[in-house]
Amino acid sequence: MTDGIRQNVLKELLGLLSLEKIEEEIFRGQSQDLGYGAVFGGQVLGQALSAASRTVPDHLCAHSLHGYFLRAGDAACPIVYMVERTRDGHSFSTRRVKAVQKGRAIFSMSTSFHKYEEGFQHQDPMPEVEGPEGVESDYNKILRHAKKLPEDIAKKLLYPNPIELRVVNPLNPFHPVPMPPDKYVWFRATGPLPDDAAIHRYMLAYASDFHLVPTALYPHGKTFWSPDMQVASLDHALWFHRDFRMDDWLLYVIHSPSAAMARALNRGAIYTRDGKLVASVAQEGLIRKVGKDKV
């Protein structure tokens, strides 16, 4: 993927996340097809946070969000985001967002914003893993093995991504074997971003949906592309702890502590290269054998 394509795809994503204001506290976002037909969950997360951010003063930054994926979105249609001003206080403001497509809610989210404050600090240390320079990107890895993949799957996987992803400990998709439920992923935007903290936050919300649910498949020797699996995000929670930049490398440390009843819990910790914990993630996902009842 050339630098020109990377820049164009990133520019397209920034445009998608900027949203069109169509009424007070009502916004519209276009959809991006990453090759799956359905809208990528991270796009809805990022756009919903962008919509909520447009309704609070500039001195407030998002510190948490909690959302539910209600229906699959159609990548061929725009999405309308309706924001409700739940509360505006001295230090915190809270918003509720409903994402609507074709007259039906596909996503709902509550998010909270906080003014900057000094305070106590502590954090879990970043694990010692190989740096991004020595890790092959997902795109290059897929390109190298494209001839081994069915044409339709290869086309989907090689769709240009505005986020560069490098998995330190990947599962072999051709011969998957059970592995511990832990994954380490370096990621960053494919080009420079504006100096706007809100943009970096909703870009991180977008990127935080990558690789979570598939980590729960590691112990079972399955992948997202296993033909007998139905895999989907059900909900998503994200907490922002410290400032960061999405155009510099971040390490996503993912662990799946439990899978049961066709659902799996996945937790993530996101660190800067110098070891600062900047965000935490939790998500439950559907991991279901094909042939049983679907959502």
Side-chain angles (χ1 to χ4, degrees):
M1 184 164 56
T2 67
D3 289 341
I5 293 176
R6 290 175 186 270
Q7 290 296 325
N8 288 339
V9 173
L10 181 60
K11 184 177 179 181
E12 178 187 350
L13 177 60
L14 287 171
L16 288 173
L17 297 179
S18 295
L19 304 182
E20 172 194 2
K21 184 175 181 179
I22 58 177
E23 184 53 87
E24 289 301 316
E25 298 164 8
I26 301 177
F27 304 86
R28 179 165 51 211
Q30 299 303 312
S31 296
Q32 181 185 53
D33 188 354
L34 292 180
Y36 306 104
V39 173
F40 171 53
Q43 176 201 305
V44 184
L45 284 164
Q47 287 182 327
L49 183 57
S50 176
S53 299
R54 296 273 293 274
T55 70
V56 299
D58 290 341
H59 71 280
L60 297 179
C61 284
H63 74 90
S64 69
L65 64 83
H66 303 263
Y68 283 91
F69 297 100
L70 306 176
R71 294 180 177 89
D74 184 348
C77 299
I79 303 171
V80 173
Y81 295 88
M82 307 171 69
V83 182
E84 175 188 328
R85 294 175 180 261
T86 308
R87 178 182 183 273
D88 286 310
H90 178 67
S91 300
F92 292 88
S93 288
T94 307
R95 299 289 186 264
R96 295 183 65 186
V97 184
K98 181 168 70 172
V100 178
Q101 197 177 54
K102 301 177 181 179
R104 300 197 303 173
I106 64 169
F107 178 75
S108 67
M109 182 183 80
S110 294
T111 183
S112 182
F113 298 81
H114 183 208
K115 73 176 185 179
Y116 179 81
E117 289 188 39
E118 294 286 352
F120 298 108
Q121 293 208 32
H122 73 270
Q123 67 163 75
D124 286 342
M126 182 173 74
E128 295 185 8
V129 301
E130 184 179 359
E133 291 81 6
V135 180
E136 186 177 23
S137 71
D138 282 12
Y139 184 89
N140 288 343
K141 195 177 302 175
I142 295 162
L143 187 63
R144 188 160 49 84
H145 294 291
K147 292 183 179 179
K148 301 178 184 178
L149 297 168
E151 185 176 351
D152 59 331
I153 293 180
K155 184 177 180 181
K156 292 176 181 179
L157 291 175
L158 289 173
Y159 190 92
N161 194 327
I163 306 298
E164 182 176 0
L165 299 153
R166 300 187 179 189
V167 181
V168 177
N169 58 331
L171 187 71
N172 185 334
F174 302 105
H175 303 287
V177 296
M179 293 173 58
D182 298 283
K183 186 183 291 187
Y184 306 101
V185 185
W186 289 102
F187 69 96
R188 66 177 176 182
T190 55
L193 296 172
D195 295 328
D196 183 334
I199 290 176
H200 291 265
R201 277 170 165 74
Y202 53 69
M203 283 285 289
L204 182 61
Y206 173 91
S208 67
D209 195 38
F210 284 114
H211 283 290
L212 273 172
V213 180
T215 302
L217 299 176
Y218 266 35
H220 311 285
K222 297 289 185 179
T223 74
F224 181 84
W225 297 103
S226 295
D228 60 342
M229 293 301 302
Q230 180 189 7
V231 181
S233 303
L234 296 175
D235 62 11
H236 197 95
L238 172 60
W239 297 265
F240 300 101
H241 309 308
R242 296 169 178 84
D243 289 335
F244 58 91
R245 292 195 65 90
M246 269 293 297
D247 47 10
D248 196 4
W249 286 112
L250 298 169
L251 177 65
Y252 206 167
V253 179
I254 305 172
H255 173 67
S256 178
S258 174
M261 300 181 68
R263 303 189 311 272
L265 178 64
N266 307 279
R267 297 172 182 159
I270 300 175
Y271 294 86
T272 60
R273 290 198 65 168
D274 59 358
K276 293 179 181 176
L277 179 63
V278 297
S280 297
V281 185
Q283 183 185 87
E284 190 173 45
L286 177 72
I287 53 171
R288 174 191 283 157
K289 286 277 191 177
V290 171
K292 297 186 178 181
D293 293 337
K294 297 185 178 181
V295 171

